[in-house]
Amino acid sequence: MKSLFSSAILMLSLSGFAQTSPNTVASSPAPPTASSPTAANPDLAKIKAVLIAGNVTLQDSSGEHPLTLGAIFAQGANLTVGAGPAQAAVAFSNGAFVLASANTSLSITNFEQAPYPAAISGSFLHLASPDPSESLIQLALPTGTLLMDIKHMNLDEGSYLRINTPLGIFVFSPAFFRISVSAPTGPNHDTSVIIDCLKGGVTCFPYGEIRIGAGFVLNEGQEYVLTGNASSGGIGRAVTSVRALTPAEITQITNEFLQAKTAALAN
């Protein structure tokens, strides 16, 4: 099982930052046959809408349309969360849970999950159980805020999640975190990326692949701020800082997330 995505980890450090196509990762498993593990798991590598408030749209192979509660989709989809009190939560079939706040644009560029026997999984969206197989998720977040719980991804099997932003790449193993990307402003497209790491760790590669060798790990309880020029990848005017989150901030963020997750699980 460890061989399925081993090349994907290597390609993370070699591929260009702008290459967010599914073609930049390891090849997908062979199409399922009637007797294969994948055929026994029809919801393998799928995403489900579990909480919707306000104006939320989904663009997928069928076009652009309002996202509906319970809708199931796959990689290649784009989510847009409108203004005001709008928000949306989606659950991945590997146990990852994502809450997108108002004014968020999110692209699910790639989601792969290795086959596994149906007998070892309780059901699709096993949010309370570890992912029984390897998986990888690649997202593009040009603007907006995500609260994410990916503690159930199978780190021992090489699973990971990667988020591309205008100022760099961030790679998450099992973690609980918030990431915010401000909308570009002014003639230089000034923007910022802020990561609050509540649990686990985050590997940061600021400025995209140009500085891929300068990656570092943001530890639990820390906040990382990166500001710069989106049009040039932050080169020449990027400013970074790291500070410790206060207990009150951790509590506030955690409560916000738990309220949304509790509501989602009730649907």
Side-chain angles (χ1 to χ4, degrees), residues 64-88:
E64 185 173 348
H65 47 85
L67 181 63
T68 57
L69 190 64
I72 295 177
F73 50 97
Q75 64 180 18
N78 300 309
L79 289 176
T80 302
V81 183
Q87 64 175 356

Side-chain angles (χ1 to χ4, degrees), residues 73-253:
F73 50 97
Q75 64 180 18
N78 300 309
L79 289 176
T80 302
V81 183
Q87 64 175 356
V90 297
F92 289 72
S93 56
N94 66 350
F97 186 91
V98 180
L99 175 65
S101 299
N103 302 308
T104 294
S105 296
L106 174 65
S107 295
I108 302 165
T109 54
N110 188 233
F111 176 32
E112 295 184 32
Q113 187 177 14
Y116 58 89
I120 69 174
S121 174
S123 64
F124 175 49
L125 304 176
H126 44 281
L127 297 178
S129 303
D131 178 9
S133 63
E134 298 172 78
S135 60
L136 64 85
I137 301 173
Q138 296 194 53
L139 307 176
L141 182 66
T143 183
T145 299
L146 304 177
L147 259 170
M148 303 190 67
D149 180 2
I150 56 172
K151 65 178 179 291
H152 296 313
M153 290 179 70
N154 198 334
L155 178 64
D156 291 339
E157 293 292 340
S159 300
Y160 73 93
L161 178 145
R162 162 179 169 167
I163 299 180
N164 286 9
T165 77
L167 295 183
I169 296 170
F170 302 92
V171 180
F172 303 82
S173 298
F176 173 38
F177 63 94
R178 178 172 66 181
I179 179 170
S180 298
V181 180
S182 66
T185 59
N188 293 322
H189 304 284
D190 294 327
T191 187
S192 65
V193 177
I194 302 175
I195 297 177
D196 298 309
C197 183
L198 290 93
K199 291 183 180 180
V202 181
T203 305
C204 307
F205 300 100
Y207 327 130
E209 300 296 341
I210 297 173
R211 291 285 299 278
I212 195 72
F216 66 95
V217 175
L218 182 70
N219 295 314
E220 181 175 321
Q222 290 184 318
E223 179 179 75
Y224 174 68
V225 179
L226 170 64
T227 59
N229 184 305
S231 62
S232 62
I235 300 303
R237 61 184 309 275
V239 178
T240 66
S241 64
V242 177
R243 71 176 181 93
L245 288 165
T246 67
E249 289 172 325
I250 293 175
T251 298
Q252 184 273 323
I253 297 171

Side-chain angles (χ1 to χ4, degrees), residues 48-53 69-70 89 97 125 127 260-267:
K48 183 176 182 179
V50 293
L51 179 67
I52 300 172
L69 190 64
F97 186 91
L125 304 176
L127 297 178
K261 191 167 186 178
T262 299
L265 293 174
N267 290 326

